[in-house]
Short mmCIF file of all heavy atoms in Angstrom, two decimals:
data_model
loop_
_atom_site.label_atom_id
_atom_site.label_comp_id
_atom_site.label_asym_id
_atom_site.label_seq_id
_atom_site.Cartn_x
_atom_site.Cartn_y
_atom_site.Cartn_z
N MET A 1 2.38 -21.95 0.87
CA MET A 1 1.42 -21.51 -0.14
C MET A 1 0.01 -21.56 0.45
O MET A 1 -0.37 -22.53 1.10
CB MET A 1 1.47 -22.40 -1.38
CG MET A 1 0.52 -21.94 -2.49
SD MET A 1 0.61 -22.98 -3.97
CE MET A 1 -0.17 -24.48 -3.37
N VAL A 2 -0.74 -20.51 0.22
CA VAL A 2 -2.15 -20.46 0.62
C VAL A 2 -2.99 -20.29 -0.64
O VAL A 2 -2.76 -19.37 -1.43
CB VAL A 2 -2.42 -19.30 1.60
CG1 VAL A 2 -3.91 -19.23 1.95
CG2 VAL A 2 -1.58 -19.46 2.87
N VAL A 3 -3.94 -21.20 -0.84
CA VAL A 3 -4.83 -21.14 -1.99
C VAL A 3 -6.18 -20.59 -1.52
O VAL A 3 -6.81 -21.15 -0.61
CB VAL A 3 -5.01 -22.53 -2.63
CG1 VAL A 3 -5.92 -22.42 -3.86
CG2 VAL A 3 -3.67 -23.12 -3.02
N HIS A 4 -6.59 -19.49 -2.13
CA HIS A 4 -7.79 -18.76 -1.74
C HIS A 4 -8.91 -19.10 -2.73
O HIS A 4 -8.79 -18.81 -3.93
CB HIS A 4 -7.46 -17.26 -1.77
CG HIS A 4 -8.61 -16.35 -1.56
ND1 HIS A 4 -8.85 -15.24 -2.35
CD2 HIS A 4 -9.61 -16.36 -0.64
CE1 HIS A 4 -9.92 -14.61 -1.94
NE2 HIS A 4 -10.40 -15.27 -0.90
N THR A 5 -9.97 -19.74 -2.24
CA THR A 5 -11.05 -20.19 -3.13
C THR A 5 -12.41 -19.76 -2.61
O THR A 5 -12.61 -19.50 -1.43
CB THR A 5 -11.05 -21.73 -3.28
OG1 THR A 5 -11.58 -22.33 -2.08
CG2 THR A 5 -9.66 -22.27 -3.54
N ASP A 6 -13.36 -19.72 -3.54
CA ASP A 6 -14.76 -19.47 -3.19
C ASP A 6 -15.59 -19.89 -4.38
O ASP A 6 -15.12 -19.84 -5.53
CB ASP A 6 -15.00 -17.99 -2.86
CG ASP A 6 -16.26 -17.78 -2.02
OD1 ASP A 6 -17.38 -17.99 -2.55
OD2 ASP A 6 -16.13 -17.42 -0.85
N ILE A 7 -16.83 -20.30 -4.14
CA ILE A 7 -17.71 -20.66 -5.25
C ILE A 7 -18.31 -19.41 -5.90
O ILE A 7 -18.83 -19.46 -7.01
CB ILE A 7 -18.84 -21.61 -4.78
CG1 ILE A 7 -19.48 -22.32 -5.98
CG2 ILE A 7 -19.86 -20.86 -3.93
CD1 ILE A 7 -20.44 -23.42 -5.59
N ASN A 8 -18.22 -18.28 -5.19
CA ASN A 8 -18.83 -17.04 -5.67
C ASN A 8 -17.78 -16.09 -6.22
O ASN A 8 -16.90 -15.63 -5.48
CB ASN A 8 -19.62 -16.39 -4.52
CG ASN A 8 -20.34 -15.14 -4.97
OD1 ASN A 8 -19.78 -14.05 -4.93
ND2 ASN A 8 -21.57 -15.29 -5.40
N ALA A 9 -17.87 -15.78 -7.51
CA ALA A 9 -16.86 -14.95 -8.16
C ALA A 9 -16.84 -13.53 -7.62
O ALA A 9 -15.76 -12.91 -7.51
CB ALA A 9 -17.09 -14.93 -9.67
N ALA A 10 -18.01 -12.99 -7.25
CA ALA A 10 -18.06 -11.61 -6.73
C ALA A 10 -17.32 -11.51 -5.41
O ALA A 10 -16.53 -10.58 -5.18
CB ALA A 10 -19.51 -11.16 -6.57
N MET A 11 -17.56 -12.47 -4.51
CA MET A 11 -16.86 -12.47 -3.23
C MET A 11 -15.36 -12.67 -3.43
O MET A 11 -14.54 -12.01 -2.79
CB MET A 11 -17.41 -13.59 -2.33
CG MET A 11 -18.82 -13.34 -1.84
SD MET A 11 -18.89 -12.05 -0.59
CE MET A 11 -18.05 -12.85 0.75
N LEU A 12 -15.01 -13.57 -4.34
CA LEU A 12 -13.61 -13.86 -4.58
C LEU A 12 -12.89 -12.64 -5.15
O LEU A 12 -11.73 -12.37 -4.81
CB LEU A 12 -13.49 -15.04 -5.55
CG LEU A 12 -12.18 -15.80 -5.56
CD1 LEU A 12 -11.92 -16.47 -4.21
CD2 LEU A 12 -12.19 -16.85 -6.67
N GLY A 13 -13.59 -11.88 -6.00
CA GLY A 13 -13.00 -10.67 -6.55
C GLY A 13 -12.70 -9.63 -5.49
O GLY A 13 -11.63 -9.00 -5.50
N VAL A 14 -13.62 -9.47 -4.56
CA VAL A 14 -13.40 -8.53 -3.45
C VAL A 14 -12.19 -8.99 -2.63
O VAL A 14 -11.32 -8.20 -2.26
CB VAL A 14 -14.65 -8.42 -2.56
CG1 VAL A 14 -14.36 -7.59 -1.31
CG2 VAL A 14 -15.81 -7.79 -3.34
N GLY A 15 -12.13 -10.30 -2.35
CA GLY A 15 -11.02 -10.83 -1.57
C GLY A 15 -9.69 -10.70 -2.28
O GLY A 15 -8.69 -10.32 -1.67
N ARG A 16 -9.67 -10.99 -3.58
CA ARG A 16 -8.43 -10.86 -4.36
C ARG A 16 -7.91 -9.43 -4.32
O ARG A 16 -6.71 -9.19 -4.13
CB ARG A 16 -8.68 -11.28 -5.80
CG ARG A 16 -7.47 -11.14 -6.73
CD ARG A 16 -7.93 -11.07 -8.17
NE ARG A 16 -8.83 -9.95 -8.36
CZ ARG A 16 -9.84 -9.95 -9.25
NH1 ARG A 16 -10.05 -11.01 -10.02
NH2 ARG A 16 -10.62 -8.90 -9.38
N ASP A 17 -8.81 -8.47 -4.48
CA ASP A 17 -8.40 -7.06 -4.46
C ASP A 17 -7.84 -6.68 -3.09
O ASP A 17 -6.85 -5.94 -2.99
CB ASP A 17 -9.58 -6.15 -4.82
CG ASP A 17 -9.99 -6.31 -6.28
OD1 ASP A 17 -9.20 -6.89 -7.06
OD2 ASP A 17 -11.09 -5.85 -6.64
N ARG A 18 -8.47 -7.17 -2.02
CA ARG A 18 -7.97 -6.88 -0.67
C ARG A 18 -6.59 -7.48 -0.46
O ARG A 18 -5.71 -6.85 0.15
CB ARG A 18 -8.93 -7.45 0.37
CG ARG A 18 -10.18 -6.61 0.61
CD ARG A 18 -10.94 -7.12 1.81
NE ARG A 18 -10.13 -7.12 3.02
CZ ARG A 18 -10.45 -7.74 4.14
NH1 ARG A 18 -11.56 -8.44 4.21
NH2 ARG A 18 -9.67 -7.68 5.20
N LEU A 19 -6.39 -8.70 -0.94
CA LEU A 19 -5.10 -9.34 -0.78
C LEU A 19 -4.01 -8.60 -1.57
O LEU A 19 -2.90 -8.41 -1.07
CB LEU A 19 -5.19 -10.80 -1.25
CG LEU A 19 -6.02 -11.73 -0.35
CD1 LEU A 19 -6.30 -13.05 -1.06
CD2 LEU A 19 -5.32 -11.98 0.97
N LEU A 20 -4.35 -8.16 -2.77
CA LEU A 20 -3.39 -7.39 -3.56
C LEU A 20 -3.05 -6.07 -2.87
O LEU A 20 -1.89 -5.65 -2.86
CB LEU A 20 -3.95 -7.14 -4.96
CG LEU A 20 -4.02 -8.36 -5.88
CD1 LEU A 20 -4.76 -8.01 -7.17
CD2 LEU A 20 -2.63 -8.90 -6.19
N ASP A 21 -4.07 -5.44 -2.29
CA ASP A 21 -3.82 -4.19 -1.56
C ASP A 21 -2.88 -4.41 -0.38
O ASP A 21 -2.15 -3.50 0.03
CB ASP A 21 -5.14 -3.59 -1.07
CG ASP A 21 -5.99 -3.01 -2.20
OD1 ASP A 21 -5.44 -2.79 -3.29
OD2 ASP A 21 -7.19 -2.79 -1.98
N ALA A 22 -2.91 -5.62 0.17
CA ALA A 22 -2.03 -5.97 1.30
C ALA A 22 -0.67 -6.47 0.83
O ALA A 22 0.16 -6.87 1.66
CB ALA A 22 -2.70 -7.02 2.18
N GLY A 23 -0.45 -6.47 -0.49
CA GLY A 23 0.83 -6.90 -1.02
C GLY A 23 0.97 -8.41 -1.16
O GLY A 23 2.08 -8.92 -1.26
N LEU A 24 -0.17 -9.12 -1.19
CA LEU A 24 -0.14 -10.57 -1.29
C LEU A 24 -0.72 -11.02 -2.63
O LEU A 24 -1.82 -10.63 -3.00
CB LEU A 24 -0.96 -11.20 -0.16
CG LEU A 24 -0.38 -11.12 1.25
CD1 LEU A 24 -1.41 -11.59 2.26
CD2 LEU A 24 0.89 -11.96 1.36
N VAL A 25 0.01 -11.85 -3.32
CA VAL A 25 -0.47 -12.46 -4.56
C VAL A 25 -0.62 -13.95 -4.28
O VAL A 25 0.38 -14.68 -4.21
CB VAL A 25 0.50 -12.22 -5.73
CG1 VAL A 25 -0.05 -12.87 -7.00
CG2 VAL A 25 0.73 -10.73 -5.94
N LEU A 26 -1.85 -14.39 -4.09
CA LEU A 26 -2.11 -15.79 -3.76
C LEU A 26 -2.86 -16.46 -4.90
O LEU A 26 -3.63 -15.81 -5.61
CB LEU A 26 -2.98 -15.89 -2.50
CG LEU A 26 -2.47 -15.22 -1.23
CD1 LEU A 26 -3.44 -15.49 -0.08
CD2 LEU A 26 -1.08 -15.69 -0.87
N PRO A 27 -2.65 -17.77 -5.09
CA PRO A 27 -3.50 -18.50 -6.05
C PRO A 27 -4.96 -18.33 -5.64
O PRO A 27 -5.32 -18.61 -4.49
CB PRO A 27 -3.04 -19.95 -5.90
CG PRO A 27 -1.69 -19.87 -5.28
CD PRO A 27 -1.69 -18.64 -4.42
N THR A 28 -5.78 -17.84 -6.54
CA THR A 28 -7.17 -17.51 -6.24
C THR A 28 -8.05 -18.11 -7.33
O THR A 28 -7.86 -17.81 -8.51
CB THR A 28 -7.38 -15.98 -6.19
OG1 THR A 28 -6.54 -15.43 -5.15
CG2 THR A 28 -8.81 -15.62 -5.90
N LEU A 29 -9.00 -18.96 -6.95
CA LEU A 29 -9.83 -19.57 -7.98
C LEU A 29 -11.23 -19.88 -7.48
O LEU A 29 -11.45 -20.12 -6.28
CB LEU A 29 -9.19 -20.85 -8.51
CG LEU A 29 -9.11 -22.08 -7.62
CD1 LEU A 29 -9.07 -23.34 -8.46
CD2 LEU A 29 -7.88 -22.03 -6.73
N VAL A 30 -12.16 -19.82 -8.43
CA VAL A 30 -13.54 -20.20 -8.16
C VAL A 30 -13.61 -21.73 -8.15
O VAL A 30 -13.21 -22.38 -9.12
CB VAL A 30 -14.49 -19.64 -9.22
CG1 VAL A 30 -15.91 -20.16 -9.00
CG2 VAL A 30 -14.48 -18.12 -9.21
N CYS A 31 -14.09 -22.29 -7.05
CA CYS A 31 -14.28 -23.74 -7.04
C CYS A 31 -15.35 -24.13 -6.04
O CYS A 31 -15.65 -23.39 -5.10
CB CYS A 31 -12.97 -24.48 -6.78
SG CYS A 31 -12.42 -24.53 -5.07
N ASP A 32 -15.93 -25.29 -6.27
CA ASP A 32 -17.01 -25.84 -5.46
C ASP A 32 -16.41 -26.69 -4.36
O ASP A 32 -15.64 -27.63 -4.64
CB ASP A 32 -17.92 -26.67 -6.38
CG ASP A 32 -19.15 -27.23 -5.67
OD1 ASP A 32 -19.21 -27.17 -4.42
OD2 ASP A 32 -20.05 -27.71 -6.37
N GLY A 33 -16.75 -26.39 -3.11
CA GLY A 33 -16.22 -27.15 -1.99
C GLY A 33 -16.61 -28.61 -2.00
O GLY A 33 -15.97 -29.44 -1.34
N GLU A 34 -17.66 -28.96 -2.75
CA GLU A 34 -18.08 -30.35 -2.84
C GLU A 34 -17.32 -31.12 -3.92
O GLU A 34 -17.42 -32.35 -4.00
CB GLU A 34 -19.58 -30.43 -3.11
CG GLU A 34 -20.43 -29.81 -2.00
CD GLU A 34 -21.91 -29.82 -2.32
OE1 GLU A 34 -22.33 -30.59 -3.22
OE2 GLU A 34 -22.67 -29.07 -1.68
N LYS A 35 -16.57 -30.40 -4.77
CA LYS A 35 -15.81 -31.03 -5.86
C LYS A 35 -14.48 -30.30 -5.99
O LYS A 35 -14.28 -29.53 -6.95
CB LYS A 35 -16.60 -30.97 -7.17
CG LYS A 35 -17.96 -31.64 -7.12
CD LYS A 35 -18.73 -31.38 -8.40
CE LYS A 35 -20.13 -31.98 -8.33
NZ LYS A 35 -20.92 -31.67 -9.56
#
């Protein structure tokens, strides 16, 4: 399992769409690396 995270929702949205285009559905969530 690979969990894809970022604190920035805009960047995460671009990444999620790219992963879906590649046929990958990964857990994707906005989170703070400090918490």
Side-chain angles (χ1 to χ4, degrees):
M1 182 179 72
V2 177
V3 182
H4 173 226
T5 75
D6 201 291
I7 198 171
N8 183 272
M11 290 288 292
L12 201 63
V14 173
R16 178 201 58 212
D17 291 345
R18 282 189 58 194
L19 290 167
L20 289 173
D21 288 344
L24 289 171
V25 180
L26 304 183
T28 299
L29 70 154
V30 174
C31 79
D32 184 348
E34 298 177 18
K35 301 173 183 177

